[in-house]
Amino acid sequence: WIEAPLGIVPHFPSLPAPLQSSMPCACIGTDEDDEEDVTAFGVSAVPEKAKEDDDEGEDAEQDDEEDAVEGESKTKQPPPAPPSLRVVFLDIDGVLNTRPDPRLVHIEGGPCAMLRRLLAASGAKLVLSSPWRRHHTYIAQVLANFCVFGDTTDEEGAPVAPPELERTPLHADAARRDLEILQWLRARRGEVAAWVALDAADLLRFPSAAHLEGHVVRMPEAGGFGGAELDAALRALGCDPKGFAGAASAKASDDGA
């Protein structure tokens, strides 16, 4: 028998190795002494597997806390703002003139004055749906000359460049302006709050009429864009015509001028 740090164990120097490994061993000492001795020899009293499990548990708890904080931050984000854009789709022949000419862009002052009042009252964005939209830069300058977009000079008297006009996409059938308008709107879904199409043609004769109902203001055969059409366009854009002095009285003043 010899003394060892963990107690007294038997020693059989003369026995063969297989027999020695099969002999029982006994340890003498208290549990507290064993723990102190094991620690003194640099052996951890906690198994490595238990340490790994504890580390994994701490990592999982930390991940759960981070997910909870991230979830709270997401829930606190404000909801997206509702759409506020108003759009006026503009045809030219029969709308901004009473005598269309297929050879040139012809625009008259009276309908332009109505269009100016419509844009000022609604704050709407102007989008060309006319076949003349290929010449959108020239049309924008002509409309600016008629003050459709407001003042043509700034506070210092310098000329203000007209805005660049957006256009509806071209369709294989030029008469299907209804599909061109709907395609423009689909590309901006969730952005447009209200819209109206000013057109001399009957856009409601097509199968897409259900999508256009309440959004089309057709011009009279003899007129162009007048006071009655202005009121209808304001209603389509969600504006109250009564709160805007642009009804038939405005048309009468323009006719008198």
Side-chain angles (χ1 to χ4, degrees):
W1 299 81
I2 62 174
E3 293 185 359
L6 298 182
I8 303 175
V9 296
H11 179 60
F12 303 94
S14 61
L15 294 178
L19 185 59
Q20 291 183 21
S21 62
S22 63
M23 293 295 291
C25 298
C27 296
I28 301 176
T30 62
D31 294 340
E32 295 179 356
D33 295 338
D34 291 345
E35 292 179 359
E36 292 176 357
D37 293 339
V38 170
T39 306
F41 275 82
V43 181
S44 174
V46 181
E48 293 296 329
K49 179 60 178 176
K51 283 187 176 181
E52 294 178 359
D53 294 340
D54 292 341
D55 293 340
E56 292 178 357
E58 292 178 0
D59 294 340
E61 292 179 0
Q62 184 176 0
D63 293 341
D64 293 339
E65 292 177 358
E66 292 177 356
D67 293 341
V69 172
E70 184 178 358
E72 291 178 0
S73 63
K74 288 182 179 179
T75 56
K76 292 180 180 180
Q77 291 180 354
S84 59
L85 179 63
R86 293 187 176 112
V87 180
V88 174
F89 294 98
L90 178 67
D91 186 20
I92 291 180
D93 287 339
V95 179
L96 295 186
N97 58 50
T98 55
R99 297 181 298 276
D101 189 337
R103 300 170 299 176
L104 52 87
V105 178
H106 175 58
I107 295 179
E108 300 174 8
C112 282
M114 291 296 161
L115 180 60
R116 180 177 67 248
R117 293 188 175 98
L118 174 62
L119 297 181
S122 63
K125 179 186 188 70
L126 194 62
V127 178
L128 290 179
S129 58
S130 168
W132 293 108
R133 63 186 179 276
R134 294 182 178 87
H135 310 286
H136 58 91
T137 304
Y138 171 73
I139 292 173
Q141 186 60 61
V142 173
L143 295 179
N145 294 342
F146 281 101
C147 300
V148 168
F149 307 112
D151 295 334
T152 58
T153 58
D154 57 18
E155 296 178 354
E156 299 178 356
V160 177
E164 183 177 355
L165 297 178
E166 290 198 35
R167 291 85 63 195
T168 54
L170 294 174
H171 191 269
D173 185 358
R176 296 303 304 270
R177 287 195 289 275
D178 59 320
L179 298 180
E180 296 169 345
I181 291 172
L182 293 176
Q183 184 177 347
W184 190 95
L185 290 170
R186 278 194 297 268
R188 293 156 182 82
R189 184 173 298 174
E191 301 177 14
V192 180
W195 61 276
V196 65
L198 308 178
D199 209 295
D202 183 12
L203 300 182
L204 299 179
R205 72 183 187 275
F206 297 113
S208 62
H211 301 285
L212 303 175
E213 200 71 49
H215 297 281
V216 177
V217 176
R218 187 182 182 186
M219 302 298 114
E221 294 181 2
F225 191 34
E229 291 73 37
L230 172 59
D231 287 350
L234 286 171
R235 285 191 293 269
L237 292 174
C239 303
D240 185 7
K242 296 180 180 179
F244 177 67
S249 59
K251 183 177 186 301
S253 63
D254 288 333
D255 292 342

